[in-house]
Amino acid sequence: SKGVIQTVNAAACRVFGWSQDEFLGSTITQHIIVGEEDPNMQETYLKQFLEAGKKTELKAKRKSGIEFWVELSLLEVETNGESEKLFCGFIIDLTQKKTQEAITTGIIEASLDPMIMINQVGTIKMINAATTTQFGWARDEMLGQNVKIIVGKKYAGNHDNFLKRYMQTGKARVVGRRIELPARRKDGTEIIVEIGLAEVKTAGKDEKLFCAFIKDLTDRKKQEAAIISRERLVTGIINAAVNPLIQINSKGVIQTVNVAACRTFGWSQDEFLGSSFNDILVEDQVKIHETFFKGLMEKDQSDTARKENELKARRKDGSEFWIELSLVEVESEDKSERLFCGFLIDLTQKKKQEAMTLKNRILEGVLDVTVNSMFLISETGSILEVNKTAVDSFGYRREEFIGGNVSMVVGGGHASKHDQYLKKFLKTGKGRLMGKKTEMKARRKDGSEFLVELNMKEILTYEGDERLFVGFLRSLTQQKEYEAELRRRKDFMDKIIESSRDALFVTDRDTWIKRVNNAAVSKFGLSRDELCKCNMDRLLSESDSLLLRNEIDQYLNVGMPFTEHMELEAKHSDGVMFPIALSISELQGPDGEVLLVIFVNDLTLSKKMLQIEVDKTAAEVLLMNVLPETIALKLKEDPHHIAEHHECASILFADIVGFTTMSSKMEPKEVVEMLNELFSIFDDIVEAYDLNKIKTIGDCYMVASVPSLVKDSCDDCIRLCDFALDMVKAIHEYNEKFPQYALNLRIGMNCGPVVAGVVGTKRFLYDLWGDSVNTASRMESSGIAGRCQVTKDVVEMVKGTFEFEERGLIQVKGKGEMETFFLSKRVAPRRSKVRFNTMDSFEVSPSGEVNNLVTDRRRFSLFQSLKALESALSDTSYASSRSMNSKN
């Protein structure tokens, strides 16, 4: 109780450097504890250590005078009623642990990336210097605060819930992964960061820790390259418990245990006592222990040296863990029974750390996951350790790095001066690079150099005089290339914008102009500065300004999409109005504000060109109506006279019987309407059979098979015969619709050689000449009402396709007697399709009638084009054609 040392073991002599004799009789402050040497204080120390708990960290000193950190555990020893109190102290050398902590802390502090450690409720327990730099808070401002102060606004409210859910279920989207999230600085600005979050395994059960390495992705986002950055923190400092102690007899029955054993294994002292030591071992370890214990029993009793063995133990809850068992035989009071004292050390952490040295843990734990190269160097510049990124980036093997001077990776002509920089810093404590981010050139093994960002910091150690430095190098190659690419793209886009013929305006949501291009300056007659100071209202008529405002409000407030094409009236600086087409799209500005991109196309020239196209198309349509299509096309290509000879053409004349007498009794308008109605029906049939209406003279209707793309005289004649039969049928249907007229037709038809061409320079007329034409006319004039009279040439041409009735010889004016025939009906089946100019086809019913009688495709297309052009031209401005409150 007075702090006088009564007993020491060999380990104490080895650790402190004193012999057993030097220890015995001296006070604990003389040889172990650094502090007051007043003997009267020993009881105070002992009381303090006992009340402090089962372990205490303090500084001790060796015989050589070197001070070092130890962990002291005190336990009062029963003395069988003796008046003097005795205490047994167990001491663990913490030198390696403190050195490891210092190196780890130094590396974390030197890291280029922020690191934050939080507990299970989100309270910040630890940060590094990069965190304060990145987020703008001082270290004291962040420690103790909830981590959501740096979480982006979108997720800050739910962050505590994420932690609670993970603590309850063990499932989370964040822990153990790399994710991208918005983070918030002290000034309120938000950035995108990559977070690598991992749970830190601790010995305690009351508090769980989470370590997050944070990578600012602002530059990475600009580089459009997904760079994954995850850094793991070296496993947190293990809160070592006092080593368990178990006393057993020669049969392995537990006689005594200490509190640490109960805490470690989860059994109470009563549960321990009387049970076998084998009960706390895994089944396959029992035989190993019994062999070890048997060997110890066979040795001489005087051999009291500690025997160590590694075994796998089991806790009360069934969990298994490795222990180191040290057995020492002790004498029993009556010496009747052999007793053994077992010291147990939990090897869980040791097993995890066995496979790696301190440097390997740094590499594989934190450094190998960082995208930055790491160099750990001595005060002489010798490389002690590198990470995988350094090996990959510089092209050296790890073995080539270790032991080499760090100047081997220094570029820009500074390699020879690097050692001088280190010496100067060691001497003065001042350096341009130490503790700062600096851009410099680095050199690869192949001699090539590249730009890097260097962050170098000294690491404080607890052992020896050697000073260590850690440097992180981040390659800036991609960043610089991306910045150059951004500038190139910006210049390119600016050139595109400025070269556009359409006026471009970038405005805010209230249409105040922020940017314009050269075309806007040219079209509106205002300078760039003048335009950037005004609103779009100034450039539009009053009504169109309201229309534009309504369009934007509906988009921003209701979500209605912009109209793709708005035709409005714009105002030049001189007050002249001109038509424009205006389109709008939304653009997000660099600060997140809503911007509108407005393109304006001057329609003045387009309107003029549209009118020219209307006139041109109308003329073409008119020409198609006046002349056969092939003749019209030839006339467009060659405006000179057109004359053609056709070896065999089929000609038909049709005349309304008694038309002169009937028309004299009708109003002129009624006569025209009747003929228009009837001849329009005939026109449709002509188009259906790919024939050509040559002309009408009064009530006479002339049709021919020429000109035609189909060079088949027989086919031409067949189609004309079909046409004649359909004319008769059409006149009957017409009479059923208009019985008051009771019309009838005389039809005449012939085939033979003709001459065809266009006559005159005004009011073009395509006509046929020749004896074949005259004969066809005579067949009509000498025919019978309601019948189609044909010549023998027609009968021979279409023999087998139609049935004819022989009329016999008749007197024909200018021809004399001629043998003629009446066309009765078709006897051969029709083709399934009737083709028109080899471009179109129409279905034919089983009865042989054409169902779909439409105009030729090209002519129809021209009519449609003309209609569309006229509609476009007749449209007034967008403002006048659409009301303020309607959407088309």
Side-chain angles (χ1 to χ4, degrees):
S1 60
K2 296 180 180 179
V4 178
I5 299 172
Q6 305 294 315
T7 304
V8 294
N9 64 358
C13 297
R14 183 172 62 251
V15 171
F16 288 90
W18 281 288
S19 66
Q20 195 172 33
D21 293 337
E22 289 175 312
F23 263 123
L24 298 180
S26 61
T27 64
I28 193 171
T29 56
Q30 288 177 321
H31 293 294
I32 301 176
I33 302 174
V34 177
E36 295 289 341
E37 298 185 359
D38 183 359
N40 297 325
M41 296 297 293
Q42 305 310 315
E43 183 175 353
T44 303
Y45 286 140
L46 292 173
K47 182 179 180 181
Q48 175 185 345
F49 294 149
L50 285 173
E51 291 178 351
K54 299 305 178 183
K55 61 179 181 179
T56 304
E57 289 187 5
L58 67 161
K59 270 191 177 181
K61 60 183 176 182
R62 295 187 175 93
K63 183 177 181 179
S64 63
I66 296 175
E67 296 180 356
F68 64 108
W69 283 95
V70 297
E71 179 183 273
L72 173 64
S73 303
L74 283 180
L75 179 69
E76 185 173 353
V77 180
E78 295 182 3
T79 58
N80 296 325
E82 295 181 7
S83 60
E84 186 177 21
K85 289 185 178 181
L86 296 180
F87 299 89
C88 183
F90 296 91
I91 297 174
I92 298 176
D93 186 349
L94 298 181
T95 300
Q96 185 176 4
K97 176 184 174 184
K98 289 295 184 178
T99 301
Q100 176 184 341
E101 288 177 353
I103 294 176
T104 302
T105 303
I107 291 176
I108 290 172
E109 284 298 314
S111 175
L112 293 171
D113 299 323
M115 185 285 299
I116 297 180
M117 183 179 288
I118 63 172
N119 62 12
Q120 71 271 24
V121 297
T123 303
I124 298 174
K125 310 296 287 184
M126 176 181 176
I127 62 173
N128 65 352
T131 305
T132 61
T133 302
Q134 181 66 59
F135 292 96
W137 275 285
R139 192 183 298 265
D140 293 341
E141 291 178 308
M142 295 189 72
L143 294 178
Q145 296 293 323
N146 192 288
V147 73
K148 64 186 178 184
I149 66 172
I150 65 167
V151 178
K153 186 177 181 181
K154 182 178 179 180
Y155 297 103
N158 289 325
H159 190 269
D160 290 344
N161 294 332
F162 297 155
L163 275 175
K164 289 179 182 178
R165 181 173 62 186
Y166 175 73
M167 296 301 296
Q168 293 170 358
T169 66
K171 297 179 180 180
R173 294 174 296 173
V174 177
V175 178
R177 303 178 185 178
R178 290 179 179 180
I179 62 168
E180 293 183 9
L181 290 173
R184 186 169 69 247
R185 296 189 179 102
K186 183 178 181 180
D187 61 8
T189 59
E190 293 197 2
I191 58 173
I192 299 297
V193 298
E194 181 183 74
I195 296 179
L197 183 64
E199 183 177 351
V200 178
K201 301 298 181 182
T202 62
K205 295 182 180 179
D206 296 334
E207 184 177 42
K208 288 190 175 183
L209 298 179
F210 300 88
C211 183
F213 275 89
I214 302 171
K215 182 70 177 179
D216 184 357
L217 294 184
T218 302
D219 293 337
R220 190 77 49 79
K221 286 296 180 181
K222 292 180 180 179
Q223 297 171 8
E224 300 177 346
I227 301 175
I228 300 174
S229 171
R230 186 183 67 172
E231 301 178 343
R232 284 200 329 238
L233 180 64
V234 177
T235 304
I237 302 171
I238 300 173
N239 186 13
V242 175
N243 298 329
L245 181 147
I246 299 178
Q247 188 182 69
I248 61 176
N249 61 15
S250 59
K251 296 180 180 179
V253 177
I254 298 175
Q255 307 295 308
T256 307
V257 296
N258 66 353
V259 177
C262 297
R263 183 171 63 250
T264 299
F265 287 89
W267 280 289
S268 67
Q269 195 171 35
D270 292 337
E271 290 174 316
F272 262 123
L273 298 180
S275 62
S276 173
F277 184 80
N278 293 342
D279 293 342
I280 66 172
L281 298 178
V282 176
E283 287 78 2
D284 62 355
Q285 300 289 305
V286 172
K287 189 174 181 179
I288 299 174
H289 169 64
E290 288 178 346
T291 301
F292 165 72
F293 190 55
K294 183 179 179 181
L296 182 63
M297 290 283 291
E298 292 175 350
K299 293 185 177 294
D300 188 88
Q301 288 188 3
S302 62
D303 184 7
T304 58
R306 176 177 296 187
K307 308 300 179 183
E308 298 180 351
N309 191 25
E310 288 189 3
L311 297 169
K312 185 176 280 189
R314 179 186 291 114
R315 299 183 180 92
K316 184 178 180 179
D317 61 7
S319 60
E320 299 176 357
F321 65 108
W322 284 97
I323 60 171
E324 179 183 271
L325 172 63
S326 300
L327 284 177
V328 177
E329 186 172 358
V330 295
E331 291 185 2
S332 61
E333 293 181 1
D334 56 5
K335 298 185 179 180
S336 62
E337 186 178 24
R338 297 180 69 179
L339 298 178
F340 298 87
C341 185
F343 296 91
L344 286 73
I345 299 176
D346 185 349
L347 297 181
T348 302
Q349 292 301 320
K350 178 182 176 182
K351 288 294 183 182
K352 291 181 180 179
Q353 298 172 1
E354 274 182 351
M356 57 178 73
T357 63
L358 172 62
K359 295 174 183 178
N360 287 333
R361 287 202 301 276
I362 295 173
L363 275 174
E364 297 179 15
V366 178
L367 304 176
D368 274 351
V369 299
T370 183
V371 297
N372 301 323
S373 300
M374 188 284 298
F375 291 84
L376 183 65
I377 64 173
S378 68
E379 60 189 19
T380 61
S382 178
I383 299 175
L384 304 177
E385 192 54 87
V386 295
N387 65 351
K388 186 176 182 299
T389 306
V391 172
D392 295 339
S393 298
F394 288 87
Y396 291 96
R397 290 180 293 107
R398 183 176 177 275
E399 293 76 11
E400 293 177 296
F401 268 129
I402 303 303
N405 193 283
V406 73
S407 60
M408 64 194 294
V409 298
V410 177
H414 298 285
S416 60
K417 302 176 182 179
H418 191 270
D419 289 345
Q420 297 177 17
Y421 298 153
L422 269 179
K423 289 178 180 178
K424 180 180 178 181
F425 176 77
L426 292 170
K427 183 177 181 180
T428 65
K430 298 179 181 180
R432 293 180 301 169
L433 305 181
M434 204 63 63
K436 302 176 183 178
K437 292 182 180 180
T438 308
E439 288 190 7
M440 59 171 288
K441 282 191 175 182
R443 185 173 71 249
R444 299 185 182 93
K445 183 178 181 180
D446 61 9
S448 60
E449 296 189 353
F450 62 106
L451 198 62
V452 297
E453 181 182 74
L454 169 67
N455 188 15
M456 190 172 180
K457 192 167 184 179
E458 182 177 4
I459 297 176
L460 299 177
T461 62
Y462 285 86
E463 188 175 41
D465 296 327
E466 185 179 23
R467 299 169 72 176
L468 302 180
F469 301 88
V470 63
F472 285 88
L473 286 81
R474 180 166 67 92
S475 174
L476 299 179
T477 302
Q478 288 186 337
Q479 177 179 330
K480 295 299 182 181
E481 289 177 352
Y482 183 72
E483 289 174 355
E485 178 64 13
L486 281 181
R487 289 191 296 271
R488 189 192 68 79
R489 290 186 181 183
K490 181 180 180 300
D491 293 341
F492 180 69
M493 291 305 299
D494 287 343
K495 290 179 181 178
I496 292 177
I497 292 172
E498 293 302 329
S499 63
S500 173
R501 294 184 178 181
D502 291 338
L504 177 140
F505 299 87
V506 179
T507 75
D508 60 16
R509 58 189 301 151
D510 296 319
T511 67
W512 285 98
I513 300 171
K514 303 291 186 183
R515 179 178 178 178
V516 297
N517 64 351
N518 290 331
V521 174
S522 174
K523 291 184 184 299
F524 287 87
L526 295 172
S527 69
R528 195 179 295 265
D529 291 340
E530 289 174 322
L531 286 171
C532 290
K533 293 178 182 179
C534 69
N535 195 285
M536 287 296 295
D537 295 346
R538 179 180 174 183
L539 308 179
L540 301 174
S541 65
E542 183 176 351
S543 59
D544 285 352
S545 296
L546 294 175
L547 188 63
L548 177 61
R549 171 46 50 195
N550 181 64
E551 179 82 11
I552 294 173
D553 289 345
Q554 296 235 24
Y555 170 78
L556 295 175
N557 300 328
V558 183
M560 187 175 293
F562 287 121
T563 302
E564 292 184 5
H565 181 85
M566 298 176 63
E567 289 196 8
L568 307 173
E569 277 199 336
K571 182 167 53 179
H572 194 270
S573 60
D574 59 8
V576 176
M577 306 298 292
F578 59 97
I580 61 169
L582 183 145
S583 60
I584 314 172
S585 61
E586 182 185 352
L587 175 69
Q588 188 173 12
D591 298 327
E593 76 275 21
V594 175
L595 297 178
L596 301 177
V597 180
I598 301 175
F599 281 93
V600 174
N601 180 20
D602 188 350
L603 296 181
T604 305
L605 182 60
S606 299
K607 292 288 186 180
K608 292 179 180 179
M609 296 302 296
L610 187 63
Q611 181 61 54
I612 294 173
E613 188 66 23
V614 168
D615 296 341
K616 179 181 177 182
T617 305
E620 187 173 351
V621 170
L622 181 61
L623 191 61
M624 291 294 181
N625 281 330
V626 172
L627 300 172
E629 180 179 350
T630 56
I631 300 303
L633 294 175
K634 286 183 180 181
L635 194 61
K636 285 178 62 178
E637 296 172 0
D638 184 4
H640 299 87
H641 295 298
I642 296 176
E644 298 175 332
H645 174 75
H646 298 278
E647 189 62 35
C648 185
S650 298
I651 309 101
L652 178 145
F653 284 90
D655 189 73
I656 299 176
V657 179
F659 176 76
T660 303
T661 302
M662 180 180 63
S663 63
S664 64
K665 300 176 182 179
M666 298 169 60
E667 292 293 329
K669 181 179 179 183
E670 185 180 5
V671 173
V672 173
E673 289 177 350
M674 179 191 71
L675 289 176
N676 182 63
E677 180 79 19
L678 182 61
F679 285 0
S680 295
I681 295 173
F682 294 163
D683 289 345
D684 288 342
I685 303 174
V686 167
E687 294 290 345
Y689 286 108
D690 195 20
L691 299 170
N692 288 294
K693 180 175 79 171
I694 304 303
K695 60 184 175 181
T696 59
I697 305 175
D699 61 324
C700 179
Y701 194 91
M702 180 181 176
V703 179
S705 63
V706 292
S708 173
L709 295 176
V710 180
K711 304 300 182 181
D712 188 340
S713 301
C714 179
D715 183 71
D716 290 348
C717 193
I718 290 173
R719 286 185 283 112
L720 196 59
C721 289
D722 282 331
F723 171 72
L725 293 175
D726 282 353
M727 284 187 79
V728 175
K729 182 178 179 180
I731 199 69
H732 290 319
E733 293 176 352
Y734 183 84
N735 286 335
E736 290 176 1
K737 186 177 180 181
F738 302 103
Q740 67 272 25
Y741 298 130
L743 301 179
N744 210 342
L745 291 176
R746 276 194 314 271
I747 305 173
M749 183 175 167
N750 184 32
C751 62
V754 298
V755 173
V758 177
V759 179
T761 57
K762 302 291 185 180
R763 298 181 183 177
F764 295 120
L765 175 64
Y766 180 78
D767 207 349
L768 306 179
W769 297 276
D771 184 61
S772 299
V773 178
N774 295 333
T775 302
S777 176
R778 295 293 184 262
M779 289 297 101
E780 177 275 316
S781 60
S782 62
I784 298 176
R787 304 297 298 273
C788 176
Q789 181 173 247
V790 303
T791 63
K792 188 175 182 179
D793 292 336
V794 173
V795 176
E796 293 294 332
M797 184 70 72
V798 298
K799 185 182 295 184
T801 304
F802 295 92
E803 183 180 286
F804 294 93
E805 178 184 338
E806 186 176 354
R807 185 180 184 188
L809 295 173
I810 64 170
Q811 192 69 31
V812 178
K813 183 179 179 181
K815 300 293 289 184
E817 287 186 345
M818 286 187 68
E819 184 178 10
T820 62
F821 303 82
F822 290 121
L823 175 62
S824 297
K825 62 182 180 180
R826 173 185 266 273
V827 294
R830 291 193 181 188
R831 292 171 296 177
S832 61
K833 299 276 186 179
V834 178
R835 300 191 178 277
F836 308 102
N837 289 344
T838 70
M839 293 188 293
D840 300 296
S841 61
F842 293 82
E843 296 290 340
V844 177
S845 67
S847 63
E849 299 175 4
V850 177
N851 292 330
N852 298 317
L853 301 179
V854 297
T855 58
D856 169 76
R857 175 179 292 174
R858 174 173 174 80
R859 191 169 301 174
F860 179 75
S861 175
L862 286 170
F863 274 113
Q864 290 296 98
S865 299
L866 180 61
K867 182 178 179 181
L869 289 168
E870 289 176 338
S871 174
L873 190 63
S874 62
D875 280 347
T876 56
S877 70
Y878 184 85
S880 61
S881 64
R882 195 179 89 167
S883 65
M884 286 288 289
N885 298 318
S886 68
K887 277 279 184 179
N888 293 327

